[in-house]
Amino acid sequence: MPSRPDWRYTPALLKHLLAMDHAPTRLAQVTRVALGWLTHYRVGGVGAVIRALLQREDVDDTVREEAASRGFAWLRSGMRAGTDVGPTVIVLLECDRLPESARIELFRLALEWLGEPRRHPSTGRVLRGILVDERCPAELKRRAGDLARSWVTRGFAEWEASSHSQLVQALLVHDDTQDAALPLLNQLASQPGSPSSPAVLQRLLLHHDQLSPDQARATVAHALVWLRDHQDPESLATVLSPLLRVPGLTARQLRKAVEHGFVHLLAHPHDHEAMAMLLSQLNGLTTAQARAVADVSLHWLASHRGKAQRPVLASFLTRHDLSAEQTRAGIDIALDRLTADTASKDRAVLSGVLRNPALEADQRSRAVDCAQRWLHRHGGLPKACLILEDLLALPSLPSGERTLLLRLAGDWLDRHAEHPLAERLRVALKSCTAGGRIG
């Protein structure tokens, strides 16, 4: 390996070697090779190798300090060359084993890089990392906050939405939320079409409970205007979803928000995120709208597989205003998925089936089989008690299923006797046995 320091696979190989178990002598050889490779300026792969060195528990402080020193030398070289050193800065910020003195130097180097006029794709992520790091000294964090406020209110079109959204989120957490919201709302009023507006709206809506009443009302008004003027899928996912979670929307505001989503879905019938979002609005859709969305969803579900089905099915199964044919079709698709896959994350889909009042006898038998298979694999999870509770609520379980269910419930209570959900399961057991639903 030392004879091929610039081989493009060298960083990945070093990272792999540093992740393996080694005898002390071999580990010393591996760390020596890694530190030697880090001696000279490299274009890429440096951050991953440094992180692999720093995260090992069996290397001494001297090795860690040397690795950090090589990393900082690389950062200075990269900054002089105009390179995007942000990814390596982020790797080092996330490293818990960085010596304190090295971490302070890292904050200073990062702020020096952030002070350059040129922007990079990782600029927002680096600034966010400094703002949310509790180990950053107050003076340096104030400098980072000043930069963040300046950049967020001016906006940068070249930043990707996720980077800008993370920066706004960090700023709202770092500053007093109402103080931080004021320039953001002014920006929305003066630059309503700014590329950064969706990210700003998203974060303000997610922090609505920390805004003043006037600020919350203004944020909702700006969001509705944005949705009226922008029908692209990114705007829907970024703005509409958090808007629909805001409690206390007036009937008119809720109707307008849902209409934007409804129109969008009819124009983009393969947008499964929009399907799940609209179906989850139990009070926002009219019966006609709910059934129209259900038709689009059933068509999509019939031709798609995989984890993207989960949120659509979970929301679909909560609705009680669909036609009998739609409900049965949705339950059948859910049962087909649960028969083929027993992943722990399918719990919400399984609960939706078991709790559905339209569950027919043949479907119920399949649902109980699916639930038993799911519990066999995931019965030890804390939220497995919710599946047990759903099964206990089913009428007239056969004797064999009753015995198995009581044993599984007892096992869960033995493992999680102090869990906050334990009392719910005890009440369900008592109610079930007293009501004669088992047996």
Side-chain angles (χ1 to χ4, degrees):
M1 172 126 81
S3 64
R4 303 192 65 186
D6 292 318
W7 187 36
R8 64 174 177 167
Y9 297 115
T10 297
L13 183 55
L14 284 171
K15 180 183 174 184
H16 179 70
L17 286 170
L18 288 167
M20 296 172 62
D21 291 328
H22 298 290
T25 304
R26 177 58 60 85
L27 177 60
Q29 292 175 330
V30 172
T31 55
R32 186 165 58 250
V33 170
L35 289 171
W37 182 81
L38 290 168
T39 300
H40 302 289
Y41 171 65
R42 311 286 180 189
V43 173
V46 172
V49 175
I50 292 174
R51 176 169 56 183
L53 268 171
L54 294 173
Q55 293 290 69
R56 285 198 71 107
E57 297 183 358
D58 50 358
V59 298
D60 58 33
D61 291 341
T62 302
V63 172
R64 287 201 185 92
E65 289 172 4
E66 194 170 349
S69 175
R70 304 286 170 87
F72 294 140
W74 181 86
L75 287 177
R76 295 186 191 98
S77 299
M79 287 162 60
R80 287 196 296 271
T83 306
D84 181 5
V85 301
T88 300
V89 173
I90 293 165
V91 163
L92 291 169
L93 284 172
E94 293 173 348
C95 181
D96 294 331
R97 293 186 164 273
L98 200 64
E100 183 178 356
S101 59
R103 187 174 298 281
I104 301 300
E105 184 180 359
L106 176 62
F107 288 134
R108 295 187 185 280
L109 281 172
L111 285 168
E112 180 183 341
W113 178 69
L114 290 168
E116 296 178 353
R118 184 178 176 183
R119 301 288 172 257
H120 297 278
S122 62
T123 297
R125 291 176 59 209
V126 171
L127 187 50
R128 176 185 181 275
I130 297 173
L131 285 172
V132 301
D133 197 321
E134 296 179 354
R135 296 162 293 191
C136 182
E139 175 196 350
L140 300 180
K141 188 166 284 194
R142 277 195 298 273
R143 286 174 55 191
D146 291 341
L147 277 173
R149 282 185 289 276
S150 171
W151 291 353
V152 166
T153 53
R154 283 156 52 196
F156 291 99
E158 66 269 23
W159 284 12
E160 59 183 45
S162 61
S163 180
H164 202 118
S165 178
Q166 290 176 358
L167 182 54
V168 175
Q169 161 75 357
L171 186 58
L172 289 172
V173 171
H174 174 259
D175 290 348
D176 176 81
T177 302
Q178 293 184 22
D179 290 343
L182 185 58
L184 298 176
L185 288 168
N186 290 338
Q187 176 191 344
L188 290 170
S190 61
Q191 306 173 42
S194 169
S196 63
S197 291
V200 173
L201 284 167
Q202 180 192 48
R203 291 303 174 180
L204 287 175
L205 289 166
L206 291 174
H207 287 264
H208 66 87
D209 57 333
Q210 299 168 36
L211 303 177
S212 70
D214 288 342
Q215 289 176 332
R217 283 192 292 271
T219 301
V220 169
H222 285 305
L224 289 170
V225 170
W226 178 269
L227 290 169
R228 182 196 66 196
D229 297 337
H230 300 80
Q231 294 298 320
D232 55 291
E234 183 180 343
S235 291
L236 184 90
T238 305
V239 179
L240 182 57
S241 180
L243 175 61
L244 290 173
R245 297 186 195 134
V246 174
L249 290 179
T250 67
R252 181 171 175 273
Q253 289 171 333
L254 181 58
R255 184 175 66 253
K256 279 192 171 186
V258 167
E259 284 175 356
H260 289 308
F262 185 69
V263 170
H264 166 86
L265 182 59
L266 294 182
H268 303 85
H270 296 291
D271 189 342
H272 57 88
E273 293 181 353
M275 296 174 202
M277 181 171 51
L278 288 170
L279 288 169
S280 67
Q281 297 303 306
L282 298 180
N283 299 319
L285 294 173
T286 66
T287 299
Q289 287 175 330
R291 294 184 178 187
V293 175
D295 280 338
V296 174
S297 302
L298 288 170
H299 181 76
W300 182 86
L301 287 165
S303 57
H304 290 77
R305 297 292 182 269
K307 62 183 182 181
Q309 280 189 327
R310 288 178 189 145
V312 179
L313 283 169
S315 297
F316 187 103
L317 294 167
T318 61
R319 302 206 68 92
H320 299 155
D321 52 358
L322 307 181
S323 70
E325 293 79 7
Q326 289 175 325
T327 300
R328 180 174 179 84
I331 292 174
D332 283 339
I333 292 173
L335 288 171
D336 289 342
R337 173 179 179 78
L338 293 167
T339 300
D341 189 3
T342 55
S344 62
K345 292 183 178 180
D346 282 317
R347 180 187 58 79
V349 176
L350 181 55
S351 281
V353 171
L354 293 170
R355 296 173 186 176
N356 200 295
L359 193 65
E360 299 179 5
D362 60 324
Q363 293 174 324
R364 193 186 78 159
S365 177
R366 290 182 65 194
V368 171
D369 289 342
C370 290
Q372 290 176 350
R373 283 196 302 274
W374 190 92
L375 287 168
H376 178 72
R377 289 192 60 185
H378 309 293
L381 295 176
K383 289 193 175 181
C385 72
L386 299 176
I387 299 298
L388 291 167
E389 185 181 345
D390 294 334
L391 286 169
L392 290 168
L394 293 176
S396 303
L397 283 173
S399 177
E401 292 173 355
R402 172 191 64 184
T403 302
L404 174 62
L405 182 56
L406 292 174
R407 179 177 63 79
L408 291 173
D411 291 344
W412 188 93
L413 287 170
D414 288 341
R415 283 192 296 265
H416 304 284
E418 303 302 322
H419 194 277
L421 294 173
E423 188 58 29
R424 279 183 55 168
L425 185 56
R426 294 188 189 98
V427 171
L429 276 169
K430 185 181 298 185
S431 173
C432 187
T433 52
R437 287 199 299 273
I438 293 184

